[in-house]
Amino acid sequence: MTLVAPTVADYEASADLATLRVRTAEDDTLDLPAETLRLSCKCAHCTRARFDGRFPEQFPGIAITEIGDLGYGLNISFSDGHNRGIYPRPYLLSLAGR
């Protein structure tokens, strides 16, 4: 038997823009707080800021301002102006504990 990880089928920001709501192909709904996503960004800028000790420990009040579907993942923009983060579908699921 081959196990297959759930795939992401649909997504939207919550009405208050504080959460990314992800619906999987299995029709489960997963909620990822915008702050969790912003803190989990793996772009070069954020990775360097972590390495240099300049990355914030929290992003209170952060909101999702735009979501771009890249096919293999999502490009999420935030209210602090950060728009470089790419979140591959397996990474989104791992952030949701799946």
Side-chain angles (χ1 to χ4, degrees):
M1 175 170 57
T2 303
L3 297 176
V4 179
T7 57
V8 177
D10 201 12
Y11 57 87
E12 65 183 359
S14 62
D16 64 0
L17 305 178
T19 304
L20 176 68
R21 188 156 290 137
V22 178
R23 193 167 28 263
T24 68
E26 293 75 24
D27 211 26
D28 292 329
T29 301
L30 311 171
D31 287 338
L32 291 162
E35 185 174 28
T36 297
L37 292 166
R38 183 65 183 91
L39 287 167
S40 302
C41 182
K42 291 186 173 186
C43 79
H45 175 78
C46 291
T47 299
R48 184 65 203 198
R50 281 187 196 90
F51 181 78
D52 291 342
R54 299 180 290 108
F55 195 78
E57 291 184 20
Q58 54 184 327
F59 288 92
I62 195 88
I64 296 168
T65 58
E66 190 173 347
I67 304 168
D69 191 338
L70 304 175
Y72 65 93
L74 302 177
N75 173 238
I76 302 173
S77 300
F78 298 94
S79 58
D80 67 349
H82 188 71
N83 62 1
R84 299 177 184 185
I86 296 175
Y87 299 80
R89 295 180 191 285
Y91 186 50
L92 285 173
L93 294 172
S94 73
L95 291 175
R98 297 297 300 256

